[in-house]
Amino acid sequence: MDDGVAERLEVSMRAVRRHARIDNIGAANSTVEAVRRYYRWNHPFYRLLHSRDGAMHLSLSGEFAAHAEFISKYVSHIGAPRVLELACGTGYNLGELATRRPSADLHGIDLSRLHVMSARLGMSRAANVRVRVGDYHRLPYADGSFDVVFVIEGICHARDLHASLAEARRVLAPDGVLLVFDLFHTDDADRLDPRVRQSAMIVERALLISSILCERRWLDVALAAGLEHLHTQDLSAEVTPQLRVLNTLAWRFVRGRRAGPWARRFLPATIRQNAAAGLLLHLTVEAGAHAYLMIALRPAAAP
């Protein structure tokens, strides 16, 4: 590990120990209620500190709409594409797609009623968008309903990765595409410095990430779920500017002399845990423990 990264990691870990109650991070796993609670408490902070337009994902090279641009390319050849977003949050990406593809039939599903209410309010004039409360482990759609299914930083919360991917496969048309944007382990993650591995574990627990694997092992699960790998794009460099912004916000949180003790005592644990992730995530990416990937898949041909 580079000496500069090691030094910054040590400094960040000391701050995490002081402010985030490191021993309690991730005490609960990604149950449905834990995920709902996590996003319920964090909802106003996403709006206040992350994106006033409602984006809940990392930006790519400073652009929150870049994910929608990726997805648009996969439906550009279809006159009236049927598109489903899993874990759609407050509907930011569906809104971007509705603007770009007014002929598309757009659907979203999310565990959080608060998110779904926000999405419906924000897109009340978009006649081609429908959003509902639901679980992507059990999708309420018929087989072969969609040309594109996508999920942005949501499949990491899967309680059963195989089941969730199999459901995505089921609702895809035979020539459909599944697009996954998320954080993955690198192939070398298990062999890195123990300090990097511990930092990566804290990030994952703080963000309620329960289904994180290296790409190779993740694709093994996808294959078993009936999906075929098309290609992967490493977008780690593109999310790095956003990770640095989040790191700056996290340091402001932990260094605030007046806010620090008050925050540690009264703010929900999820807020403090998010600060811990903000302190460490850019370093775990830089040190090679995590990578931000876009993986494209399609239904595997029947044998």
Side-chain angles (χ1 to χ4, degrees), residues 22-299:
I22 189 171
D23 293 337
N24 294 333
I25 288 180
N29 59 15
S30 292
T31 62
V32 170
E33 185 50 41
V35 173
R36 284 178 176 151
R37 184 170 56 249
Y38 173 86
Y39 283 104
R40 181 169 64 248
W41 282 112
N42 282 297
H43 179 77
F45 294 93
Y46 276 109
R47 287 279 185 178
L48 180 65
L49 301 174
H50 188 63
S51 165
R52 293 183 179 179
D53 294 325
M56 301 179 68
H57 54 275
L58 296 172
S59 64
L60 302 178
S61 301
E63 296 293 334
F64 287 111
H67 294 77
E69 284 292 339
F70 267 98
I71 296 152
S72 293
K73 294 175 183 177
Y74 284 87
V75 297
S76 60
H77 64 289
I78 304 171
R82 302 163 298 166
V83 180
L84 169 65
E85 181 177 12
L86 309 178
C88 66
T90 56
Y92 174 86
N93 294 291
L94 292 171
E96 289 291 327
L97 287 171
T99 300
R100 289 168 169 77
R101 298 301 304 271
S103 63
D105 181 17
L106 302 171
H107 296 256
I109 190 165
D110 196 276
L111 280 175
S112 168
R113 284 181 169 80
L114 176 61
H115 286 172
V116 170
M117 289 173 56
S118 296
R120 287 173 176 169
L121 286 171
M123 295 182 290
S124 58
R125 297 182 181 180
N128 62 331
V129 181
R130 282 169 280 184
V131 182
R132 64 192 298 176
V133 176
D135 187 339
Y136 58 51
H137 292 80
R138 298 181 302 276
L139 292 171
Y141 305 103
D143 295 3
S145 296
F146 298 101
D147 301 298
V148 173
V149 175
F150 71 96
V151 55
I152 300 174
E153 299 167 28
I155 205 71
C156 58
H157 296 309
R159 304 181 303 282
D160 184 332
L161 181 59
H162 178 274
S164 59
L165 291 175
E167 272 293 89
R169 160 69 179 85
R170 180 183 65 79
V171 301
L172 273 174
D175 58 348
V177 176
L178 170 64
L179 302 174
V180 176
F181 298 79
D182 222 320
L183 200 66
F184 290 81
H185 283 162
T186 65
D187 289 339
D188 297 326
D190 292 339
R191 297 187 292 273
L192 294 173
D193 185 291
R195 292 168 295 179
V196 177
R197 297 202 306 270
Q198 183 188 27
S199 298
M201 179 191 68
I202 291 169
V203 168
E204 292 154 22
R205 290 183 176 180
L207 299 178
L208 287 190
I209 295 175
S210 56
S211 289
I212 185 165
L213 299 168
C214 68
E215 181 193 3
R216 174 179 49 80
R217 292 180 60 196
W218 193 93
L219 288 173
D220 286 342
V221 179
L223 178 63
L227 293 160
E228 178 182 336
H229 183 216
L230 291 174
H231 63 268
T232 297
Q233 185 168 348
D234 190 336
L235 299 172
S236 302
E238 284 79 357
V239 300
T240 294
Q242 180 73 47
L243 296 181
R244 288 175 178 158
V245 170
L246 297 177
N247 180 258
T248 298
L249 290 172
W251 274 115
R252 288 177 182 172
F253 174 81
V254 302
R255 283 174 172 162
R257 291 184 179 179
R258 294 182 180 178
W262 177 87
R264 289 198 299 274
R265 183 172 180 182
F266 295 108
L267 280 180
T270 55
I271 308 302
R272 298 192 301 271
Q273 291 177 10
N274 258 7
L279 290 173
L280 296 172
L281 183 52
H282 79 298
L283 292 171
T284 61
V285 171
E286 186 175 346
H290 289 134
Y292 190 89
L293 306 180
M294 188 281 286
I295 299 181
L297 311 105
R298 66 184 177 192

